[in-house]
Amino acid sequence: MPTDAPSPPLIRARGLTKRFGSFTAVDAIDFDVAPGEAFGFLGPNGAGKTSTMRMIGCTSPASGGTLTVLDMDPATRGPEIRGHLGVVPQQDTLDEELTVRENLVIYGRYFGLSRAECGRRADELLEFAQLTERRDSRVEPLSGGMKRRLTIARALINEPDVMLLDEPTTGLDPQARHLLWDRLYRLKQRGVTLVLTTHYMDEAEQLCDRLVIMDKARIVAEGSPRQLIEQYSTREVAELRFPVGVQETLDGQLAGLADRIEHLPDRLLLYANDGEAVAVAVHDRGLRPETVLVRRSTLEDVFLRLTGRTLVE
Amino acid sequence: MSAATAVATGQPRRSVPRAWHLIERNLFVYRRTWTIIVSGFFEPLFYLVGIGFGLGRLVGDVTGPAGQPIPYAVFIAPALLATGAMNGAVAEATFNFFFKLNFNRTFQSILATPLSVRDVAVGEIAWALIRGGLYAIGFMMVIAVLGLVRSPWAVLAVPAALLLGFATGAVGMAATSFMRSPTDFDLINIIVLPMFLFSATFYPIETYPEAIRGIVAFTPLYQGVALIRGLTVGVIGPEMLIHVVYLLAMGFIGLWVTSRRLDRILLK
Ligand SMILES: Nc1ncnc2c1ncn2[C@@H]1O[C@H](COP(=O)(O)OP(=O)(O)OP(=O)(O)O)[C@@H](O)[C@H]1O
Ligand SMILES: [Mg+2]
């Protein structure tokens, strides 16, 4: 959903800043999240994603700028705002002294739901998270993926309008990730607004309608995954890997082959609309890379372009 | 549901204060581990039997609150009632609170809901009081049956024990919020054990030289014991109000500090 959609933004930040002592973790960022969209914060470790999410979640006061969530000010109406949010923190905060089902039931109680309602929703969510068999198990022995699913289920107990998901799939195996993506996609279809952080570009591409790229406490770019790739990268990339020591000796030999060339420690990235043609041209110049890989541009390339660094080191 | 309608419908109306849900949570936990609670009930009983009746036989009568001689067991029973309530509340407010705060992330998850740090502090203190109160009620029934209660004013001894639990629990919780590691609990033991032994629990405060009396009288346990002993023995006086005010003030200060600390620790 574009920013200029008729409905007012669900979350609006202007000059939003977070400082820890003299250190600035979030430096005057602006963004809007529209109702029903999936909005992402993509960025490397320490970019300020979690700090931003915690301010939105009303568990961390902003140090500057303005923030409204559901048209309310977190500083004065935190409890009311939190009543409409479902929060999946970066690190699981499940109650280890309780069972799987109790975790859901008591969480519903915190939101002021009746006992009967909590029980009903807990059983539904156990199904949704595929944890019904483990309902009476303690939390501690669950696998990482199960804990993550339980955390997401728990965040849904109050039927939130907005889900805040801080790296929902970090540390999960591919199968568990795909299951979670599927669950999140279904939520989105039900009209739940998703706000998520990730440092996986494929996750951002899969899930986000729109995203901002954060680096060193600032937003460096904003748009849909496709827009960002079009704006900051070429359609394709040829990745060349040369034998050890050779890459450094190639100065000038690649000139004019591609729109742009990135030198990574272990490989060269040649950006062009036709990657195959580049690969052929490289060969024609008598260069013999060990491997050549032609692929489509991703958000990773956008990030590299914007910051000069790779996203996942 | 669109954002607008969601805001209009608001949150479900609550039938209970938000802090109550902390108690509900702890009930879930103790449904499985109730044996831990039961042990705290027997401790003062053992002291009563061993010291009150055993040693009491050698001691004979001691001077009661109004200078009258009373049997030794009658003298120490209210002190043990007070200590039991205090220990129950302090155990909950220090050790268990520390683990929830530092290792369990329970409070972090709770603060993502409409509950506030104050709800957490109030709920946890209330829970500590429930535990202390259970010990007080159980022990009260025992000493009533054993004939160690000398006055109908004793019905107020349980609320008085709760007041002591509130004061010591709240301050214990505030202190715990400053602790870095579980070894810091040795510090609490260093305070609680001598307080238990020396707060006119086992012998009248007049036993001390004048100078030391002032120090002893300043401990919350002394305040609680004096209050409760007056009630069970039936010596009522205006100085009891001072004990009540002292304990209330201590409790509210502890609660206030705890809320502030939770705010600093959890809502960075
Ligand atoms: N409570 C805190 N006190 C001091 N500094 C903090 C605190 N929380 C975060 N920071 C600092 O703020 C910066 C941003 O942290 P943040 O957790 O927001 O990053 P992030 O984008 O979520 O990173 P990651 O991908 O590793 O989760 C980091 O440099 C971090 O060290
Ligand atoms: Mg983070």
Side-chain angles (χ1 to χ4, degrees):
Chain A
M1 207 174 290
T3 2
D4 55 6
S7 38
L10 212 66
I11 303 170
R12 162 181 286 256
R14 290 293 176 269
L16 184 62
T17 300
K18 180 74 201 183
R19 277 186 289 269
F20 297 103
S22 60
F23 178 79
T24 305
V26 178
D27 192 2
I29 62 171
D30 301 340
F31 61 87
D32 288 318
V33 180
E37 82 174 329
F39 184 87
F41 291 93
L42 179 67
N45 292 136
K49 305 182 296 294
T50 298
S51 305
T52 306
M53 292 293 260
R54 294 191 59 231
M55 288 191 280
I56 301 172
C58 313
T59 52
S60 168
S63 323
T66 58
L67 176 67
T68 54
V69 183
L70 296 155
D71 265 335
M72 292 179 269
D73 178 359
T76 53
R77 294 171 74 185
E80 204 175 330
I81 296 172
R82 292 196 299 269
H84 295 284
L85 304 182
V87 178
V88 176
Q90 183 167 355
Q91 281 176 295
D92 288 321
T93 56
L94 294 166
D95 198 327
E96 306 249 326
E97 291 183 278
L98 302 180
T99 65
V100 169
R101 188 171 184 278
E102 285 169 351
N103 258 282
L104 297 173
V105 171
I106 194 66
Y107 218 65
R109 297 289 289 155
Y110 298 147
F111 283 93
L113 302 170
S114 75
R115 248 174 258 263
E117 185 63 19
C118 289
R120 198 183 58 72
R121 291 190 190 180
D123 292 329
E124 262 176 40
L125 288 169
L126 285 171
E127 282 295 322
F128 173 83
Q130 301 187 342
L131 286 169
T132 304
E133 266 107 82
R134 305 300 296 268
R135 65 204 293 273
D136 296 319
S137 154
R138 293 283 291 263
V139 166
E140 198 243 302
L142 296 186
S143 76
M146 288 173 174
K147 283 186 187 167
R148 215 59 190 141
R149 285 194 326 254
L150 180 58
T151 302
I152 292 178
R154 187 183 69 172
L156 289 168
I157 195 89
N158 59 324
E159 296 183 344
D161 301 306
V162 186
M163 286 283 277
L164 302 179
L165 302 135
D166 197 351
E167 299 195 15
T169 66
T170 296
L172 300 188
D173 64 32
Q175 199 189 341
R177 285 178 83 196
H178 283 281
L179 181 67
L180 270 184
W181 286 354
D182 171 64
R183 292 294 180 267
L184 294 177
Y185 188 70
R186 288 200 219 175
L187 285 173
K188 194 180 161 239
Q189 295 212 303
R190 282 199 228 153
V192 178
T193 304
L194 304 180
V195 180
L196 61 112
T197 77
T198 180
H199 45 212
Y200 296 125
M201 60 199 169
D202 54 339
E203 184 159 282
E205 287 181 26
Q206 282 273 335
L207 290 175
C208 299
D209 299 318
R210 217 156 51 80
L211 56 95
V212 292
I213 295 180
M214 280 190 88
D215 185 42
K216 296 182 180 154
R218 312 203 66 128
I219 290 177
V220 291
E222 182 205 324
S224 69
R226 176 194 281 268
Q227 280 171 353
L228 285 167
I229 292 168
E230 275 172 13
Q231 188 176 347
Y232 293 102
S233 191
T234 54
R235 207 168 66 91
E236 293 187 335
V237 192
E239 293 198 8
L240 310 183
R241 221 178 270 268
F242 286 93
V244 181
V246 174
Q247 186 175 313
E248 292 71 21
T249 65
L250 295 174
D251 271 352
Q253 298 191 57
L254 298 163
L257 280 182
D259 295 4
R260 192 164 59 84
I261 299 177
E262 288 283 354
H263 297 255
L264 299 186
D266 60 335
R267 59 195 199 271
L268 293 170
L269 304 181
L270 279 61
Y271 290 90
N273 281 325
D274 185 348
E276 278 305 333
V278 172
V280 170
V282 167
H283 197 264
D284 288 349
R285 289 200 184 178
L287 300 172
R288 294 291 176 268
E290 270 183 337
T291 61
V292 179
L293 170 72
V294 175
R295 58 168 178 82
R296 303 183 72 90
S297 276
T298 67
L299 288 170
E300 178 80 54
D301 301 297
V302 174
F303 187 81
L304 185 62
R305 167 77 188 277
L306 289 167
T307 67
R309 286 174 295 123
T310 52
L311 197 50
V312 187
E313 274 106 24
Chain B
M1 186 163 46
S2 84
T5 52
V7 174
T9 50
Q11 299 166 51
R13 182 114 41 91
R14 277 168 202 275
S15 47
V16 292
R18 293 193 297 209
W20 163 258
H21 301 303
L22 270 292
I23 295 170
E24 239 180 295
R25 179 214 168 256
N26 292 327
L27 284 173
F28 268 135
V29 177
Y30 279 100
R31 224 162 43 183
R32 278 184 295 274
T33 53
W34 53 272
T35 42
I36 296 173
I37 292 208
V38 169
S39 67
F41 171 75
F42 286 103
E43 204 179 287
L45 268 188
F46 294 150
Y47 277 106
L48 182 66
V49 173
I51 297 184
F53 291 114
L55 200 63
R57 217 175 259 231
L58 304 176
V59 175
D61 283 1
V62 290
T63 318
Q68 80 287 35
I70 50 172
Y72 189 58
V74 173
F75 180 81
I76 70 161
L80 292 172
L81 176 76
T83 309
M86 176 182 82
N87 284 343
V90 168
E92 204 56 57
T94 58
F95 208 67
N96 289 352
F97 183 73
F98 181 82
F99 280 90
K100 280 183 238 179
L101 184 59
N102 293 286
F103 295 117
N104 207 348
R105 300 178 152 269
T106 311
F107 297 149
Q108 271 98 332
S109 73
I110 292 175
L111 292 174
T113 75
L115 273 64
S116 66
V117 281
R118 204 182 150 75
D119 296 324
V120 170
V122 170
E124 287 291 289
I125 288 278
W127 170 252
L129 280 190
I130 287 175
R131 180 160 168 188
L134 284 177
Y135 295 153
I137 291 169
F139 193 71
M140 188 67 201
M141 292 196 303
V142 172
I143 62 174
V145 168
L146 292 176
L148 303 177
V149 168
R150 294 292 161 93
S151 156
W153 283 101
V155 294
L156 293 179
V158 169
L162 284 178
L163 188 57
L164 173 65
F166 173 54
T168 52
V171 167
M173 199 173 271
T176 302
S177 69
F178 289 95
M179 291 191 183
R180 295 264 164 271
S181 90
T183 50
D184 293 342
F185 284 105
D186 295 340
L187 214 73
I188 289 198
N189 290 335
I190 286 175
I191 296 169
V192 170
L193 186 64
M195 197 157 78
F196 168 52
L197 291 174
F198 305 135
S199 296
T201 18
F202 293 108
Y203 41 83
I205 192 165
E206 287 76 22
T207 317
Y208 292 112
E210 196 73 49
I212 295 182
R213 272 184 223 175
I215 300 172
V216 171
F218 199 71
T219 67
L221 184 57
Y222 172 79
Q223 298 281 327
V225 168
L227 182 63
I228 295 167
R229 187 174 284 143
L231 292 167
T232 60
V233 176
V235 180
I236 308 302
E239 75 283 354
M240 284 184 157
L241 282 179
I242 298 174
H243 301 319
V244 170
V245 169
Y246 173 106
L247 293 172
L248 275 178
M250 185 169 169
F252 280 109
I253 291 170
L255 193 57
W256 181 76
V257 173
T258 305
S259 289
R260 299 257 322 209
R261 286 289 300 163
L262 288 184
D263 205 275
R264 282 201 53 163
I265 297 167
L266 298 171
L267 301 179
K268 276 189 280 213

